[in-house]
Structures are given as structure tokens and as C-alpha cells.
Amino acid sequence: MASILLSNPTLSSTFQGQKLSISENNSKSSTVRGLNFRSPRCAVDTPYEGKIPKFPRIRVWDPYRRLGISREASEEEIWGSRNFLLDQYASHERSAESIEAAFEKLLMESFRNRKKTKINLKSRLKKKVEESPPWVKNLLNFVEIPPTIIILRRLFLFSFMAGWSIMNSAESGPAFQVAISLAACIYFLNDKSKSLARASIIGLGSLVVGWICGSFLVPTIPSVLIHPTWTLELLTSLVAYVFLFLGCTFLK
């Protein structure tokens, strides 16, 4: 038996065939695995860039739709939408830039609309003045609007005089404060018109008109609203301060 096996070397046992088939399958599987191997994808290739959220309306052209607001939205709503979206997508640079760009467009549009509204108001007012009767035009020729700082300074001066008169109401009348206010009014008018006579006439006229209006206005005020120590003379002088302020500030 042994001599037969040795003389026929091409014969193989069943175990050896199984071993060869197993090794052949392993080689095929390794070849297949080598052909189908893929490298892992980077997190930047994912739609949401990993864990960083991306603004979904980053390519929307309309700034209102990009911020998710209506065209009738107020500035407070625009600011609120911008802050809300930035809190969510501030970590993504392109998303934050897109939100800021839409926000700036809406702010510029709001600024242009306000500017147009102011221009329209001025043009309408000018048109109404031109269409007004002649006596109204003549009356408006005596009126001018000074800078805001001048208005505030003179308002502070006459408010101080009114407060001084109220604090001294229990001791004496407001005659001294009214005299100082009249002198200040004439000084301001003379500084504008360069005419002492004209300034004196306008100043005295403002005082007289204010005192007369106060004499008719004060009695109509309910006594519940008036402090017990405030006299009729004091309340009339307060009205006169208002007319002196208007005369020296807005009259030419």
C-alpha cells in the first residue's frame, strides 16, 4: 500500500482539497475587499458640517425671507429676528455673514424710507404754506426756528424763573422774576434784530399778551389741581413766562 502511494504522487487526500479550497476562497475575498475599500468621509463633507448647524436659507436672495419676517415688520422685529438667528448659527461663519448681510439691507431700506418721509413732510408743509392766505404768509414771515441748543438754553432759563417764582410764592410775589424774564427776552430779541426799540416792543407785547391769557386761563383750572399757596398772580406769571419764551425764541 505504501509503495502504491509513493509511486502515484498526483493523488491528494480529501483534507488537502478542502485546505486548498479554503485558501483559494481567502485569496478571492481579500481581493474583493481590496477593491471595495473606501476611505472614511471627513466631517466637513456632511450637509451640516459635523456638529455645527448651518443656516438653511443662506442662499435666499430676499432679505425678508432670509430672516423669516414679513415686509410689514418693524425695526424691533428685524432686530429680534437677527439676534435670534445669530444665537443659533453664530458658530458657522458663512451663515452669520448671510444673516448680517440681510439685516444690513433691511436697515438701509428702513433708513431711506424714514428719510423720504421727512422730505415728504417738509414738502407738504411748504406746499401748505404756499397755498395759505396772504395774512398767514405775512404772519409766518415773523417766525423762525433757531438751532436746538438755543431753544434748550432759553427753555432752561425761563423754567428756572418759573421754579424760582414757585419756591418764593409763600414769601413774596413773582414781580422780580418777571422783570428779569422780560429783560432777558428783550436782550435776546435785540441780539437777533439789532434794534432795541423793536426788541422792547416785542418783549413787552409778549408779556402783556401772556398776562392777559393767563388772567382768563387760570380761573378755569379746577381748584383741586392748584396748590393752596399758589396765588392768581403766580399762576398768571407762569403763563407769561411761556409767552416770553416763545417771543424771544421764535419771533424774528
Side-chain angles (χ1 to χ4, degrees):
M1 185 69 180
S3 61
I4 294 172
L5 292 174
L6 292 173
S7 63
N8 190 10
T10 58
L11 298 176
S12 60
S13 62
T14 306
F15 174 76
Q16 288 176 341
Q18 291 178 352
K19 184 176 182 181
L20 290 174
S21 63
I22 292 173
S23 62
E24 185 179 356
N25 293 333
N26 289 337
S27 63
K28 291 181 180 179
S29 62
S30 63
T31 304
V32 174
R33 286 197 300 270
L35 293 175
N36 295 333
F37 177 78
R38 293 181 181 178
S39 60
R41 297 180 65 186
C42 180
V44 179
D45 297 332
T46 59
Y48 294 97
E49 299 193 3
K51 295 183 180 180
I52 300 177
K54 182 178 178 182
F55 186 43
R57 299 188 298 274
I58 194 172
R59 297 186 181 276
V60 175
W61 180 80
D62 188 0
Y64 290 96
R65 292 180 58 191
R66 191 184 303 177
L67 295 182
I69 56 178
S70 64
R71 294 188 176 275
E72 292 78 19
S74 61
E75 287 192 14
E76 290 78 10
E77 293 175 342
I78 296 174
W79 275 94
S81 177
R82 175 251 188 191
N83 295 334
F84 175 76
L85 292 175
L86 283 181
D87 289 341
Q88 290 185 333
Y89 305 104
S91 55
H92 189 263
E93 184 177 356
R94 289 186 59 193
S95 298
E97 291 176 355
S98 177
I99 295 169
E100 288 288 1
F103 172 72
E104 291 175 0
K105 286 182 181 179
L106 294 182
L107 276 189
M108 289 300 297
E109 184 177 349
S110 177
F111 173 75
R112 287 193 295 266
N113 291 335
R114 288 200 305 267
K115 193 173 182 180
K116 289 180 181 178
T117 304
K118 290 181 180 180
I119 294 174
N120 291 334
L121 288 176
K122 289 182 179 179
S123 61
R124 289 177 183 176
L125 182 61
K126 186 177 180 180
K127 186 177 180 180
K128 286 186 176 295
V129 171
E130 292 176 353
E131 296 176 352
S132 59
W135 65 272
V136 176
K137 294 180 180 179
N138 295 331
L139 184 62
L140 292 176
N141 290 331
F142 293 96
V143 179
E144 67 176 0
I145 300 178
T148 306
I149 185 65
I150 295 178
I151 297 176
L152 294 177
R153 287 176 180 175
R154 295 178 184 178
L155 179 62
F156 173 78
L157 173 63
F158 288 98
S159 299
F160 174 77
M161 291 298 173
W164 187 9
S165 301
I166 293 173
M167 288 187 295
N168 292 340
S169 61
E171 300 176 1
S172 59
F176 181 68
Q177 290 84 357
V178 171
I180 295 177
S181 299
L182 176 60
C185 179
I186 295 174
Y187 171 79
F188 293 140
L189 290 170
N190 181 50
D191 186 55
K192 288 191 296 184
S193 63
K194 306 301 180 182
S195 175
L196 183 59
R198 178 185 175 87
S200 300
I201 293 173
I202 295 176
L204 288 173
S206 300
L207 177 62
V208 171
V209 172
W211 201 272
I212 293 174
C213 291
S215 300
F216 286 100
L217 180 62
V218 171
T220 61
I221 301 175
S223 59
V224 181
L225 303 177
I226 301 176
H227 195 273
T229 60
W230 292 4
T231 61
L232 177 63
E233 183 182 9
L234 173 63
L235 296 174
T236 306
S237 66
L238 296 179
V239 179
Y241 292 143
V242 175
F243 278 81
L244 289 172
F245 163 73
L246 296 176
C248 69
T249 306
F250 299 102
L251 294 181
K252 294 182 180 179

